[in-house]
Amino acid sequence: MQTINSRSLIHRTVLSNGIVLLVSENQAADIIAGRIFIRAGSCYEHREKAGLAHLLSAVMTKGCDGLSSLEIAEKVESVGASLGTDAATDYFVLSLKTVTADFIDILTLAGQLLRSPTFPENQVELEKRLAIQDIRSQKEQPFNLAFEQLRQVMYPNHPYSMSVLGDETTMSSITRADLVEYHQTHFRPDNIVISIAGRITAEQAEKLVTTIFGDWEIPDSAQPTLNLPSITALPKPCLKPLNTQQSIIMLGYLGPSVTNPEYAALKLLATYLGNGLSSRLFVELREKQGLAYDVSAIYSTRLFPASFVVYIGTAPENTKIAFNGLRQEVELLCTTELSAEALQTAKNKIIGQYALGKQTNGHIAQIYGWYEILGLGIEFDQKFPELINNVTATEAITAARKYLQAPYLSLVGPEEAIQTATF
């Protein structure tokens, strides 16, 4: 058994069956929040079954040994607690929040759901229909269409190319047997991180988690591993005519994963470009030129090469000039170093938002568990602001020149706008 105390904020313990337990004691409020992370998610699906992890998250709370969907809901709602599941690209998570007095009961229920879900056939079919409705709904939204088009061209044959929902074909093909197999493969104690924050001591939490999960044995089979295709940048334009009121223009660049030393520089550049009303893109393209209904930048934290995306929603007649403006703002990062003031402003913004993002027990449980399941370790909480603070103007322009030179283009808009704007 291993215990680590990181700056007296978080206690890390590894139980005998491989479960990693993180505890952040906070006596300020009579609330305990928990996050149970599983090393699963859409990256662990077969491509022909895309959407499997999402479907499992939707059905998991609809029945477990001895309890129906209604009984589970009543147990949670009768004490005013919350309990839910979600599937992301790099992980699967069960979230819960209760007053201190009810935490034992709700964590016990979470253990039942994790270990012995029943996946009732009628609930599987219902959730499949709901997921397909969501997929169809997203196809009616120009932003989602543009983003899906961009993902598919940037990540051919890679799970990152697909929505967590999958598509109609893959979602329709998933069976209850697929859910059972996925669950048996990935839901095992040595694949789990339990992160707890609130009015509970590390000793109390360890005793409780050991009582609920301690008899969960590691299966004889080896832990599942990922063997994903390599990703090579081959930029090209993707144009989709659509009868819509605006054009959505996205430029995508293949960036590094969170484990790469240049991650912090790209994170800072994304903040400078597209975070908030004072960001470069907002000021230049919306405020000064009036080109944008919406404009921003996205650079996600991922285990594998992440996409750095800038986008703008603009009037169809402004499609070409908006594209040029967006492209020029990114190219400027490759030719001109950020001023000391701009660099420091971006640093202050990202570090301030990061600190504000840890105000609740739920946020605290989330961030520590997330870092642990990604393999970054709880120390990354202290390391992240330091990484951002240490980025120099030279490092920022070097990263821009390496990653932000040749973009993929995804454009969704009226056919006339596409035809008149040559790229």
Side-chain angles (χ1 to χ4, degrees):
M1 190 173 294
Q2 173 195 12
T3 303
I4 297 175
N5 188 319
S6 177
R7 302 199 182 185
S8 302
L9 293 176
I10 181 84
H11 295 265
R12 180 183 187 274
T13 303
V14 182
L15 305 184
S16 58
N17 61 357
I19 289 177
V20 177
L21 173 62
L22 310 175
V23 185
S24 181
E25 184 178 352
N26 178 11
Q27 297 289 341
D30 187 27
I31 297 290
I32 302 178
R35 297 289 188 273
I36 303 177
F37 286 86
I38 299 91
R39 203 165 283 106
S42 61
C43 267
Y44 294 80
E45 302 165 340
H46 295 299
R47 188 173 180 84
E48 65 273 13
K49 298 290 182 179
L52 180 56
H54 167 81
L55 184 61
L56 189 144
S57 75
V59 181
M60 177 170 277
T61 57
K62 300 301 191 294
C64 61
D65 280 355
L67 293 173
S68 68
S69 176
L70 180 59
E71 288 169 331
I72 291 168
E74 286 176 343
K75 274 182 173 287
V76 176
E77 293 170 8
S78 65
V79 295
S82 66
L83 187 151
T85 49
D86 191 30
T89 51
D90 296 327
Y91 62 86
F92 185 103
V93 64
L94 184 151
S95 305
L96 56 103
K97 183 174 69 173
T98 77
V99 296
T100 305
D102 298 317
F103 184 66
I104 294 175
D105 291 339
I106 299 301
L107 186 64
T108 300
L109 175 60
Q112 291 175 272
L113 294 173
L114 279 175
R115 298 177 63 176
S116 55
T118 50
F119 305 127
E121 193 76 59
N122 63 330
Q123 295 289 344
V124 172
E125 293 307 312
L126 171 61
E127 294 299 337
K128 282 173 64 174
R129 289 197 297 273
L130 292 173
I132 289 170
Q133 287 177 15
D134 285 346
I135 292 166
R136 290 172 178 167
S137 175
Q138 289 193 4
K139 286 187 174 181
E140 297 173 357
Q141 300 168 30
F143 178 90
N144 289 330
L145 281 173
F147 198 43
E148 178 185 6
Q149 184 172 254
L150 186 65
R151 282 198 314 264
Q152 289 182 354
V153 72
M154 289 183 73
Y155 294 98
N157 303 314
H158 191 281
Y160 282 3
S161 67
M162 300 291 285
S163 162
V164 175
L165 287 169
D167 58 33
E168 284 193 54
T169 301
T170 61
M171 180 58 71
S172 298
S173 74
I174 299 170
T175 65
R176 180 183 180 278
D178 294 325
L179 296 175
V180 171
E181 180 186 7
Y182 187 92
H183 178 266
Q184 290 177 343
T185 301
H186 299 287
F187 285 66
R188 44 189 286 165
D190 54 346
N191 230 16
I192 286 178
V193 173
I194 300 178
S195 181
I196 298 172
R199 188 173 285 182
I200 189 169
T201 67
E203 293 75 20
Q204 289 170 333
E206 184 177 342
K207 182 178 179 181
L208 178 57
V209 169
T210 300
T211 299
I212 297 171
F213 297 94
D215 63 340
W216 195 358
E217 296 181 356
I218 300 174
D220 294 332
S221 57
Q223 275 184 295
T225 56
L226 284 175
N227 183 22
L228 301 180
S230 59
I231 305 166
T232 304
L234 296 169
K236 61 180 180 180
C238 294
L239 314 177
K240 186 178 184 66
L242 187 71
N243 185 19
T244 181
Q245 299 300 311
Q246 61 176 305
S247 294
I248 303 293
I249 305 164
M250 289 187 178
L251 304 181
Y253 306 81
L254 199 59
S257 75
V258 65
T259 59
N260 189 292
E262 292 161 313
Y263 162 81
L266 269 290
K267 201 72 174 173
L268 193 66
L269 290 175
T271 298
Y272 164 77
L273 269 184
N275 187 333
L277 305 184
S278 63
S279 66
R280 175 77 185 186
L281 293 179
F282 191 93
V283 171
E284 293 297 322
L285 300 184
R286 181 182 166 103
E287 294 294 291
K288 292 184 178 179
Q289 299 183 51
L291 291 173
Y293 299 128
D294 186 24
V295 64
S296 192
I298 307 168
Y299 175 51
S300 301
T301 300
R302 293 283 184 265
L303 269 178
F304 301 100
S307 53
F308 186 108
V309 179
V310 293
Y311 68 89
I312 187 170
T314 192
E317 62 270 20
N318 290 330
T319 299
K320 181 65 175 179
I321 190 172
F323 164 78
N324 287 334
L326 201 61
R327 178 81 186 262
Q328 286 166 10
E329 289 301 333
V330 180
E331 288 178 345
L332 199 60
L333 297 178
C334 303
T335 58
T336 308
E337 280 194 1
L338 294 185
S339 68
E341 181 183 3
L343 190 68
Q344 193 59 51
T345 298
K347 289 179 179 181
N348 294 344
K349 184 185 294 186
I350 194 169
I351 292 171
Q353 289 175 347
Y354 183 75
L356 290 172
K358 296 190 293 181
Q359 288 190 321
T360 69
N361 288 333
H363 292 145
I364 292 167
Q366 173 75 24
I367 203 157
Y368 282 124
W370 182 45
Y371 287 157
E372 183 70 31
I373 205 71
L374 290 182
L376 300 170
I378 56 177
E379 298 81 7
F380 196 75
D381 177 55
Q382 301 289 340
K383 187 178 178 183
F384 176 72
E386 294 172 4
L387 289 172
I388 295 297
N389 253 331
N390 291 338
V391 175
T392 66
T394 300
E395 289 170 341
I397 196 171
T398 299
R401 287 170 176 168
K402 181 174 180 179
Y403 294 103
L404 306 182
Q405 292 278 8
Y408 292 83
L409 165 65
S410 178
L411 170 59
V412 173
E415 187 165 3
E416 184 181 345
I418 292 176
Q419 289 176 344
T420 55
T422 55
F423 298 96

